[in-house]
Amino acid sequence: MNYSDIAPQNPSVELHNKVILITGAGAGIGAQLALGAARAGATVLLLGRNEENLNSVYDQIVSEGLNEPVVIPMDLSKLDEQQANQLSHMIGEAFGRLDGLVHNASLLGKLGPIATTNLSEWSQVMHVNAFAPVVLTKAMLALLRESDAASIIFTSSGVGRQARAFWGAYSASKFATEAIAGILAAELETDGIRVNCVNPGATNTKMRRAAFPGESPDSIASAESLVPAYLFLLSDSAKAVRGASIDLQK
Ligand code: NAP
């Protein structure tokens, strides 16, 4: 489904008092989303592997006088259940609940044919993109159940819907992501937790520039322009939207 089919004309996006964990919050779409969610009143938990990037998002949010975020330096390629449970414990102690979980972090990996793929790199991409979100979700479910209306957003891609030569582990990980989101949405159908999966579409970020080095960055969407759609999906205005796979751009 396309976002324009479900988006209200002028969505009033209100995230006051919501506690939202965003992975890959130090750069690209995740950083813009973190800023947008903080401006909408949320307390954002900034998870990523590059602490300097996370700190600069933290500084920006604090400089605007918004709710103080939490920086969570974490390499998702090494995430295991124990670490995820520790994080869940820490969030529980500090906030008692979680209202939003955005699985945004991803590794592109090296594009090329399966015939010559580096298998340890394949495994790392799968770990970050398709395994870590399961580990994190499993650990956070109890906290998400403490929310009045929790929203989980998974991040897919065009190559998570249609296989394309040379997109290797990244494409495979995004097909897996679509499946994980669908499975979880069905399992939580009668729960207070909504699960959706978004495909941002071509967006001007470091990842896009790595995948399409010849493309003019000005010819595609900015990360900032996608933020309202994410905020809507995290907000209570989107309570009826669940189990959907959504293209954020036409
Ligand atoms: P990006 O600018 O490359 O950002 C990716 C983020 O993921 C970065 O913050 C990065 O952290 C984080 N990350 C990568 N590996 C990690 C690890 N091992 N542990 C923790 N964090 C890690 O990419 P983006 O374009 O914003 O991508 C956001 C999401 O949109 C991804 O899921 C991507 O697949 C999806 N997407 C993007 C496009 C597009 O055109 N941009 C299209 C379709 C789908 P560091 O700052 O530490 O590197």
Side-chain angles (χ1 to χ4, degrees), residues 24 29 49-50 53 75-76 104-106 156 170 174 201 203 205:
I29 296 169
R49 95 193 131 162
N50 182 323
N53 286 351
D75 181 351
L76 293 174
N104 164 77
S106 274
S156 180
Y170 180 79
K174 295 300 185 179
T203 311
T205 65

Side-chain angles (χ1 to χ4, degrees), residues 1-8 11 228-230 232-233 246-249:
M1 109 183 11
N2 196 279
Y3 177 64
S4 59
D5 297 334
I6 53 165
Y230 282 90
F232 170 67
L233 291 171
I246 304 164
D247 289 319
L248 296 188
Q249 299 184 54

Side-chain angles (χ1 to χ4, degrees), residues 99-248:
D99 303 296
L101 172 56
V102 186
H103 296 294
N104 164 77
S106 274
L107 261 188
L108 178 64
K110 192 160 172 255
L111 302 186
I114 285 181
T116 58
T117 199
N118 176 318
L119 293 175
S120 70
E121 194 174 297
W122 181 288
S123 168
Q124 196 188 21
V125 170
M126 292 301 285
H127 193 108
V128 172
N129 299 5
F131 184 62
V134 177
V135 178
L136 261 188
T137 302
K138 184 180 175 204
M140 299 300 153
L141 274 179
L143 283 178
L144 289 159
R145 287 209 165 90
E146 294 298 323
S147 169
D148 291 338
S151 171
I152 305 178
I153 300 177
F154 286 86
T155 310
S156 180
S157 162
V159 293
R161 310 251 181 82
Q162 191 167 9
R164 200 182 300 161
F166 312 128
W167 281 76
Y170 180 79
S171 174
S173 74
K174 295 300 185 179
F175 269 85
T177 298
E178 292 274 354
I180 293 158
I183 292 162
L184 195 64
E187 288 172 0
L188 301 178
E189 203 172 21
T190 56
D191 232 291
I193 307 172
R194 298 180 292 109
V195 182
N196 293 291
C197 188
V198 301
N199 166 24
T203 311
N204 181 16
T205 65
K206 198 171 75 183
M207 182 185 289
R208 178 75 189 186
R209 291 190 292 277
F212 296 89
E215 184 178 66
S216 157
D218 297 336
S219 66
I220 54 171
S222 66
E224 208 176 348
S225 69
L226 302 183
V227 169
Y230 282 90
L231 299 186
F232 170 67
L233 291 171
L234 287 166
S235 76
D236 292 349
S237 315
K239 263 185 178 167
V241 185
R242 45 200 308 152
S245 195
I246 304 164
D247 289 319
L248 296 188

Side-chain angles (χ1 to χ4, degrees), residues 46-109:
L46 310 168
L47 188 153
R49 95 193 131 162
N50 182 323
E51 202 168 345
E52 210 177 302
N53 286 351
L54 296 174
N55 285 338
S56 87
V57 177
Y58 173 98
D59 289 344
Q60 171 78 35
I61 290 171
V62 169
S63 75
E64 292 186 24
L66 306 168
N67 290 344
E68 186 179 2
V70 178
V71 168
I72 305 166
M74 185 178 276
D75 181 351
L76 293 174
S77 71
K78 300 193 172 76
L79 181 72
D80 62 19
E81 191 157 26
Q82 193 191 355
Q83 223 187 336
N85 286 338
Q86 277 169 2
L87 177 60
S88 161
H89 182 74
M90 185 201 93
I91 296 170
E93 292 275 294
F95 301 102
R97 69 178 197 289
L98 190 62
D99 303 296
L101 172 56
V102 186
H103 296 294
N104 164 77
S106 274
L107 261 188
L108 178 64

